[in-house]
Amino acid sequence: MRLDLSPAQALTVIALCALTALAAHLALAVFNDGVRPFLLDFVHGHTTRGATTAVAFGLSAGFVFGLGAPLALSSGVLNPWLLFLPTDVLGILAPRRRLALLLGAGWGAVVVYGLDGAHDLVHGLPVDFLTAMQQMATPILFLFTLFPTLAATRQFGRLRGALTGLVELALVVATMRLWPQVFAGAVAMAAGVLLLIGFAVAGDLRRARTAAGPAAAA
């Protein structure tokens, strides 16, 4: 499938890539969670820009080539791993703000205007290696379903974490059997996030009632 973006959509993607590269350059935000602790060392002067760039590239390259690029080439849908992991690296690498903006915008333009050509080139090859590359990303996508379970366990205890994990596992099995055309991990993760939100709201309401009790008695 091809991108077929309108000019306004293409410019939006390019602008977003430029802004995310600038944010990474200023050490305000990065898309890769693993890079954030190293940004603190960079901000405090404990490491150099080059060393931080090397760390960002090492932590991001596998996701870009093993997840972002195969998904985009096979589905024709842009994803944040392809767009924003490279802008993390480019933004940290750039020694000046303007260069960070230009590099980020340049990467956005490469993706927007080059992905269709890469799609045609890959699918024109005699060997279909893209399907095999896409299968490499499947375990990573399923691992994302663990995030709500880990968050529920850490914030609300093992019982609620186990409950979240069991609900997600049941939904993965049910989705594979009943709706095989739907990616089971997406359904399970959505349910896990809803449970996490429910636990948080219930906790806030419980604390509000506890605080209101003594006030009403007084």
Side-chain angles (χ1 to χ4, degrees):
M1 298 179 63
R2 301 174 66 85
L3 282 180
D4 294 328
L5 297 179
S6 67
Q9 291 172 328
L11 289 176
T12 300
V13 172
I14 293 172
L16 283 174
C17 288
L19 289 175
T20 52
L22 178 62
H25 170 80
L26 298 175
L28 295 176
V30 288
F31 179 73
N32 193 331
D33 295 339
V35 178
R36 290 169 191 165
F38 297 95
L39 278 185
L40 293 176
D41 291 336
F42 174 67
V43 170
H44 294 153
H46 298 155
T47 186
T48 63
R49 183 176 294 277
T52 309
T53 302
V55 170
F57 178 81
L59 293 174
S60 302
F63 286 99
V64 175
F65 298 110
L67 181 61
L71 283 178
L73 289 172
S74 60
S75 65
V77 177
L78 293 178
N79 59 78
W81 300 283
L82 179 63
L83 290 175
F84 303 138
L85 288 177
T87 58
D88 285 352
V89 178
L90 294 173
I92 298 172
L93 174 66
R96 297 288 185 272
R97 296 183 182 183
R98 291 183 180 178
L99 183 57
L101 284 169
L102 288 174
L103 290 176
W107 174 251
V110 167
V111 173
V112 168
Y113 298 112
L115 190 60
D116 286 341
H119 177 275
D120 295 339
L121 176 63
V122 168
H123 285 278
L125 295 175
V127 178
D128 180 20
F129 68 91
L130 188 61
T131 302
M133 287 183 63
Q134 188 178 5
Q135 294 304 315
M136 294 171 56
T138 301
I140 300 175
L141 292 175
F142 273 104
L143 284 176
F144 289 147
T145 61
L146 294 176
F147 290 168
T149 300
L150 295 175
T153 303
R154 183 175 179 82
Q155 297 183 42
F156 306 108
R158 295 180 181 178
L159 181 61
R160 289 182 175 84
L163 174 63
T164 304
L166 289 174
V167 170
E168 289 191 351
L169 179 60
L171 283 174
V172 167
V173 175
T175 304
M176 286 182 170
R177 289 181 174 273
L178 300 176
W179 308 287
Q181 72 279 6
V182 177
F183 178 63
V187 178
M189 186 171 183
V193 171
L194 290 176
L195 282 173
L196 190 61
I197 293 172
F199 294 149
V201 172
D204 289 343
L205 292 176
R206 186 167 53 252
R207 285 189 292 270
R209 286 194 299 266
T210 302

